[in-house]
Amino acid sequence: MASEKPQDLVVTCTAPVNIAVIKYWGKRDEALILPINSSLSVTLHQDQLKTITTAAISKDFTEDRIWLNGHEEDVGQPRLQACLREIRRLARKRRSAGDGDALPLSLSYKVHVASENNFPTAAGLASSAAGYACLAYTLARVYGVEGDLSEVARRGSGSACRSLYGGFVEWQMGEQADGKDSIARQIAPEWHWPQLRVLILVVSAEKKQMGSTVGMQTSVETSTLLKFRAESVVPERMKEMTRCIRERDFQAFAQLTMKDSNQFHATCLDTFPPISYLNDTSRRIIQLVHRFNTHHGQTKVAYTFDAGPNAVIFTLDDTVAEFVAAVRHSFPPATNGDKFLKGLPVTPVLLSDELKAALAMEPSPGAIQYIIATQVGPGPQVLDNSHAHLLGPDGLPQQDP
């Protein structure tokens, strides 16, 4: 794992995206990033969506530096600094306690970090969650920090703590003022529900107009519906969603997922001035899902939307092909027909005339840019292959040959 010089260290890790089925929206403490309600998410497979991060420390580095998707960023960003400070504090604490091997490196060494996503950043696809989970996990490996990293990842992006685990993950809001009990925990592993499939319908890969942080602050200040949701609705939904997952009750899981997504977006509209993350295509997708389910006489497909227009669809493996065909019928690919579907292979099927009639939708060519087909996946991974490092021996980003 170490580079040529024994006093230096370089580590590369990957971390997944998570999609909340019971949403987090609103903080009770901005500095510590403590939520006003608990949340529950599904970790997506890293074969399709992941962040990869390399961290290197060396006595030769003169300052901390970070590169995101090939561009150097300001290392002084408060959330980035919060993660770094917390990791270094934990490393010092561990060193002074004399736990483990005394690492042959100084905590005063500067760190270089390079991070890349294999999916659009800041488009409402939970890139910050994967990014900060990966940062926390990688820095912990470099500095020899062990134990739960919820607090470190959470300082970067609240939902990042849920990306520290695979499968199905609960982020407990906690009650303590210091946030020590606001942590993530796995409620079921990634192999628990093998039939579950996830489709991401990318409506727009552009950066969203209002970031989640500002949106949440405004909602907390102005939405009475948000307060009611956090106090009176979410606690019961957390229990029910946990039951649905443990019992693999897809119908109940799907309906609750859609209702919670709708309520989250209702709190955004109840914010003053109102926030709208959904666009016309998002609303047409919602219509498509309900008409598809009505045609089948049961809930076979569910949608959820985070703070952006892209839809995340949950369904079971025996329904994927037909629903993808329904999406192609309603939102025909513009010109990239061969690249419209990415990720897991899906066998093309023909739609029945009855279903086409039931959908009753005027086609919107090009409204959906592409679909990513994926499934539930594991938590962060360490890559042992030195060829995977994003930083070269000089501590600078590797140039593509």
Side-chain angles (χ1 to χ4, degrees):
M1 192 77 74
S3 62
E4 290 80 72
K5 292 176 283 188
Q7 72 272 29
D8 302 348
L9 194 60
V10 55
V11 177
T12 298
C13 302
T14 64
V17 165
N18 75 77
I19 297 297
V21 287
I22 302 293
K23 305 290 187 192
Y24 144 61
W25 194 250
K27 306 180 190 74
R28 61 184 169 94
D29 186 309
E30 287 286 339
L32 295 176
I33 308 196
L34 302 177
I36 61 168
N37 63 266
S38 297
S39 55
L40 205 155
S41 62
V42 180
T43 300
L44 305 187
H45 207 288
Q46 294 177 58
D47 282 355
Q48 283 74 46
L49 299 112
K50 71 179 172 199
T51 296
I52 178 168
T53 300
T54 298
I57 49 179
S58 167
K59 66 174 176 36
D60 298 335
F61 296 162
T62 55
E63 58 183 344
D64 294 331
R65 297 176 73 182
I66 186 164
W67 292 265
L68 295 182
N69 293 316
H71 302 286
E72 186 159 12
E73 301 282 338
D74 175 16
V75 80
Q77 290 173 37
R79 291 187 170 194
L80 204 58
Q81 283 297 318
C83 289
L84 261 174
R85 267 198 314 272
E86 187 63 15
I87 279 286
R88 284 169 168 159
R89 183 187 72 77
L90 292 168
R92 274 194 301 274
K93 185 176 165 189
R94 184 164 183 252
R95 183 74 54 82
S96 61
D99 293 344
D101 303 330
L103 291 172
L105 53 89
S106 165
L107 280 169
S108 62
Y109 285 3
K110 300 299 184 187
V111 66
H112 284 192
V113 176
S115 190
E116 290 180 0
N117 295 329
N118 68 345
F119 57 93
T121 302
L125 288 180
S127 57
S128 61
Y132 277 107
C134 206
L135 179 70
Y137 195 80
T138 310
L139 289 175
R141 292 297 171 283
V142 163
Y143 282 108
V145 171
E146 291 175 354
D148 183 61
L149 297 171
S150 288
E151 205 158 349
V152 185
R154 198 191 68 220
R155 296 285 183 95
S157 170
S159 50
C161 67
R162 298 190 310 242
S163 277
L164 291 170
Y165 298 92
F168 302 84
V169 185
E170 172 187 31
W171 174 15
Q172 300 166 336
M173 62 180 283
E175 291 171 6
Q176 293 168 212
D178 63 4
K180 296 289 182 205
D181 58 347
S182 183
I183 57 170
R185 70 180 189 105
Q186 187 185 67
I187 61 164
E190 59 267 26
W191 57 84
H192 169 70
W193 200 346
Q195 300 84 10
L196 196 64
R197 292 289 178 274
V198 186
L199 299 168
I200 299 168
L201 311 188
V202 179
V203 172
S204 168
E206 292 171 14
K207 196 167 176 175
K208 56 200 181 199
Q209 288 174 321
M210 179 178 284
S212 306
T213 304
V214 178
M216 280 188 208
Q217 278 175 309
T218 317
S219 293
V220 168
E221 287 160 13
T222 63
S223 171
T224 48
L225 180 57
L226 182 66
K227 189 174 187 312
F228 174 75
R229 165 181 162 74
E231 293 171 3
S232 306
V233 180
V234 170
E236 281 308 309
R237 284 189 171 175
M238 288 292 292
K239 287 182 201 157
E240 172 65 3
M241 187 60 86
T242 302
R243 180 201 70 75
C244 293
I245 290 164
R246 289 196 170 139
E247 296 178 12
R248 295 186 283 270
D249 179 347
F250 183 77
Q251 294 245 354
F253 167 84
Q255 289 182 24
L256 186 52
T257 294
M258 291 188 279
K259 286 177 179 175
D260 203 73
S261 175
N262 294 343
Q263 190 179 76
F264 155 55
H265 289 281
T267 65
C268 290
L269 282 179
D270 188 51
T271 298
F272 197 80
I275 308 167
S276 185
Y277 288 114
L278 306 182
N279 63 19
D280 287 345
T281 304
S282 314
R283 287 182 277 273
R284 288 173 66 86
I285 293 166
I286 290 172
Q287 200 173 40
L288 171 70
V289 167
H290 285 294
R291 288 178 181 177
F292 185 93
N293 288 336
T294 300
H295 169 75
H296 284 289
Q298 57 175 301
T299 307
K300 292 181 74 99
V301 182
Y303 55 77
T304 187
F305 294 83
D306 280 344
N310 302 310
V312 177
I313 301 291
F314 291 98
T315 187
L316 297 177
D317 53 2
D318 60 3
T319 308
V320 173
E322 188 184 32
F323 187 74
V324 166
V327 172
R328 273 186 185 274
H329 170 74
S330 306
F331 304 94
T335 49
N336 62 340
D338 55 334
K339 298 194 180 69
F340 186 61
L341 184 67
K342 305 167 188 259
L344 297 177
V346 176
T347 309
V349 297
L350 291 173
L351 284 190
S352 68
D353 291 337
E354 293 81 14
L355 179 52
K356 283 182 188 172
L359 296 178
M361 293 181 78
E362 194 66 38
S364 305
I368 289 177
Q369 294 181 15
Y370 56 92
I371 302 173
I372 305 170
T374 184
Q375 58 194 337
V376 186
Q381 316 279 309
V382 178
L383 300 183
D384 288 323
N385 179 358
S386 62
H387 296 298
H389 295 328
L390 301 179
L391 294 171
D394 56 0
L396 299 174
Q398 301 262 37
Q399 298 304 313
D400 291 328

